[in-house]
Amino acid sequence: MPTEPTESRLSLDTRAARNLATTTKTRPQMQAISSRWLLRMLPWVDVRGGTYRVNRRLTHRPGRGRVGVVRSGADDVRIVPATLTEIPALRGFDDDEVLTAVAGEFAARELRPGDVVAEEGDPVTGAWVIAHGRVERLATGRYGATQFLGVIADGDQFGDDVLTDDDARWPCTFRAATPCTVLFAPRDGLRRVADRSPALREHLAGYLDTLSRPVNRRGEAAVRLAAGHTGEPVIDGTFVDYDLHPREYELGVAQTILRVHTRVADLFNDPMSQMEQQLRLTIHELRERQESELLNNPEFGLLHNTDYDQRIYTWSGPPTPDDLDDLISMRRKTRLLLAHPKAIAAFFRECNKRGLVVGSTEVNGHEVPAWRGIPIFPCGKIPISAHRTTSILALRTGEEDEGVVGLFQTGIPEEYEPGLNVRFMGINPQAVMSYLVSAYFSAAVLVPDAIGILEDVDVATPRT
């Protein structure tokens, strides 16, 4: 920009005047700071020993997981043998050779939307695994109407009853909702593998014995009780059995080494401490990473540690009020919903289409959107896939309610904030000071239904 000649001005130029003025300045700003609602809303448990053990009642009925599938080409779709242990009847079976033989019985098939995979009431002729696509579950109601029971998708399996029940029949109809790639293993092929493997036959016999044991509706070992009796009948004795191998959570860590030159710390501390500002921004980054790890860490992250029985799919793609109602109804005392901002926007669009007004509630002085009185908190750390799909989490929190809790340890050496310390590491020959900044944390799900996930949520903006 050309400079105006000095002789043409009648007063001092503002650019020159700034050289003698004291500016009013802000402390360093940072765009990456988010609301971090998950860190704020989780109840935090002080783990004195560095490990948190979650004791539960003994469970006889194993849960159903998802089978891994690899696609090497358009026509080469195969099951990852080790993941077949996600099928309840094979849970805990560790013979890799036999699992590979079982996986070899599955062959790929392509389905078009509307194709019926299995009809309600027909005999089960084999096991199915969905490699890609969505399959609807339908049943006939009491008065002949068709009832929609839900949707299953990638990695889900059905029909594995053929491993243990000769007379199994389909409890509902399975129909392709989208183009699907599925893998099918006929009953005869699976039985041949079992006949050749004494270890597998023994394992399946043990599984059948487990199924015969009395359990409550959650699959936990039953407690014998008497109710509604009169007179003086003999009342059974009982006890509550515990899981002999409870899960233990060790505290994870996020760390960095903050370096500050002594010259900067000595000479440029007025009016703001350089060390203080460097540390403040570093801690913000650590807390952001901490929240991301609480969601995405493979060991303890909530997205990876949610029971598969607590995962449901959207009915049509975008998150509708019906989908959130289904998610909330799966547990008692849902305290909060956590969703990516784009998923919240997609939910608002669906409400607008129906003429519904999303409510709000006050949380810690902030007005946040709410559905059925349950606050919906934004969290940009929930990933969005390449196909523009994401997940919405529903959580019950706190030890008293057998919910989800955050884990940390207070009173650690040179603690700066709860669960976070700053330790001086010395000054190197280049006169640079180093500080080790560490945050220790984890999260635990006390019982499986404390958290649920609405998966495959489509957040793409529809064309008008």
Side-chain angles (χ1 to χ4, degrees):
M1 179 182 295
T3 304
E4 183 182 355
T6 304
E7 57 272 13
S8 67
R9 294 199 308 268
L10 299 178
S11 63
L12 181 66
D13 183 64
T14 55
R15 287 171 293 179
R18 287 183 66 239
N19 292 330
L20 301 183
T22 300
T23 62
T24 300
K25 59 182 71 64
T26 70
R27 62 182 184 175
Q29 306 297 297
M30 178 176 168
Q31 292 188 69
I33 297 176
S34 67
S35 54
R36 298 199 290 266
W37 279 111
L38 180 60
L39 297 189
R40 287 199 263 174
M41 299 308 298
L42 274 184
W44 290 88
V45 177
D46 192 358
V47 181
R48 304 307 306 165
T51 302
Y52 186 74
R53 178 180 296 157
V54 178
N55 289 307
R56 293 179 179 172
R57 284 179 60 177
L58 178 64
T59 300
H60 288 320
R61 299 285 171 84
R64 183 177 296 275
R66 287 183 182 159
V67 174
V69 177
V70 293
R71 182 189 292 268
S72 303
D75 300 321
D76 186 9
V77 182
R78 291 174 286 113
I79 285 178
V80 179
T83 65
L84 284 171
T85 56
E86 296 296 337
I87 295 174
L90 297 177
R91 183 63 56 86
F93 186 69
D94 57 1
D95 191 321
D96 292 338
E97 184 177 347
V98 176
L99 291 174
T100 300
V102 173
E105 296 295 327
F106 285 85
R109 297 184 181 183
E110 298 293 331
L111 302 176
R112 294 173 299 179
D115 286 350
V116 174
V117 182
E119 194 76 40
E120 179 183 7
D122 287 351
V124 178
T125 58
W128 299 81
V129 173
I130 303 173
H132 179 70
R134 294 160 60 93
V135 173
E136 297 173 332
R137 297 187 299 120
L138 310 114
T140 303
R142 179 178 180 183
Y143 300 105
T146 299
Q147 298 176 334
F148 289 86
L149 304 182
V151 178
I152 55 179
D154 303 8
D156 288 326
Q157 78 279 165
F158 53 96
D160 50 273
D161 297 343
V162 296
L163 288 167
T164 54
D165 187 356
D166 293 329
D167 301 319
R169 292 185 176 272
W170 294 113
C172 60
T173 296
F174 295 86
R175 184 179 68 189
T178 65
C180 294
T181 301
V182 296
L183 295 138
F184 176 72
R187 182 202 341 239
D188 293 342
L190 296 175
R191 289 298 175 87
R192 281 196 300 270
V193 175
D195 291 341
R196 293 195 302 263
S197 171
L200 180 56
R201 291 198 304 273
E202 182 180 353
H203 177 85
L204 293 176
Y207 172 71
L208 286 173
D209 178 63
T210 300
L211 293 182
S212 66
R213 299 174 187 175
V215 295
N216 63 15
R217 62 188 179 90
R218 295 292 188 180
E220 298 170 325
V223 174
R224 294 186 179 88
L225 303 172
H229 52 278
T230 59
E232 298 179 350
V234 177
I235 299 175
D236 288 340
T238 190
F239 66 96
V240 181
D241 208 352
Y242 301 144
D243 185 357
L244 296 179
H245 305 285
R247 177 165 180 182
E248 295 184 346
Y249 294 84
E250 293 186 3
L251 293 182
V253 62
Q255 292 179 307
T256 189
I257 297 175
L258 174 62
R259 296 186 176 94
V260 180
H261 200 286
T262 53
R263 180 174 62 250
V264 172
D266 291 342
L267 301 180
F268 300 96
N269 275 335
D270 187 24
M272 300 178 191
S273 167
Q274 294 286 348
M275 181 61 202
E276 180 181 330
Q277 297 306 318
Q278 288 281 303
L279 185 58
R280 179 181 67 86
L281 297 178
T282 301
I283 290 175
H284 272 302
E285 282 289 1
L286 276 176
R287 294 305 191 191
E288 294 290 332
R289 182 59 178 269
Q290 176 180 348
E291 186 175 58
S292 178
E293 291 291 306
L294 289 177
L295 288 166
N296 300 298
N297 187 284
E299 295 297 324
F300 56 81
L302 300 181
L303 289 171
H304 294 275
N305 285 270
T306 300
D307 194 272
Y308 283 103
D309 289 338
Q310 297 297 319
R311 298 171 184 260
I312 60 174
Y313 293 96
T314 60
W315 286 97
S316 58
T320 65
D322 297 331
D323 293 322
L324 259 62
D325 286 344
D326 285 345
L327 182 63
I328 293 169
S329 67
M330 296 172 66
R331 72 199 44 77
R332 58 183 171 85
K333 291 187 179 180
T334 299
R335 297 295 189 189
L336 62 99
L337 297 167
L338 202 66
H340 193 282
K342 290 186 180 296
I344 297 177
F347 176 66
F348 287 173
R349 288 195 295 270
E350 294 302 310
C351 289
N352 292 340
K353 291 178 183 178
R354 302 186 183 197
L356 300 176
V357 178
V358 179
S360 63
T361 187
E362 184 176 317
V363 179
N364 299 336
H366 298 271
E367 198 75 15
V368 297
W371 182 249
R372 308 296 189 193
I374 301 170
I376 307 174
F377 295 110
C379 181
K381 300 174 186 70
I382 300 175
I384 294 179
S385 73
H387 300 289
R388 308 298 295 166
T389 59
T390 184
S391 301
I392 297 177
L393 288 77
L395 286 79
R396 181 177 69 246
T397 58
E399 284 187 312
E400 291 298 320
D401 286 328
E402 298 178 318
V404 180
V405 296
L407 309 176
F408 69 164
Q409 186 178 129
T410 60
I412 56 179
E414 300 179 58
E415 187 173 59
Y416 189 84
E417 292 180 358
L420 183 146
N421 64 356
V422 181
R423 312 192 77 170
F424 180 61
M425 298 176 63
I427 303 175
N428 69 8
Q430 287 77 37
V432 175
M433 299 183 295
S434 297
Y435 294 84
L436 177 64
V437 188
S438 307
Y440 299 95
F441 56 88
S442 187
V445 181
L446 301 190
V447 296
D449 75 343
I451 179 172
I453 297 181
L454 177 65
E455 296 189 303
D456 209 20
V457 175
D458 188 357
V459 298
T461 304
R463 295 181 62 183
T464 56

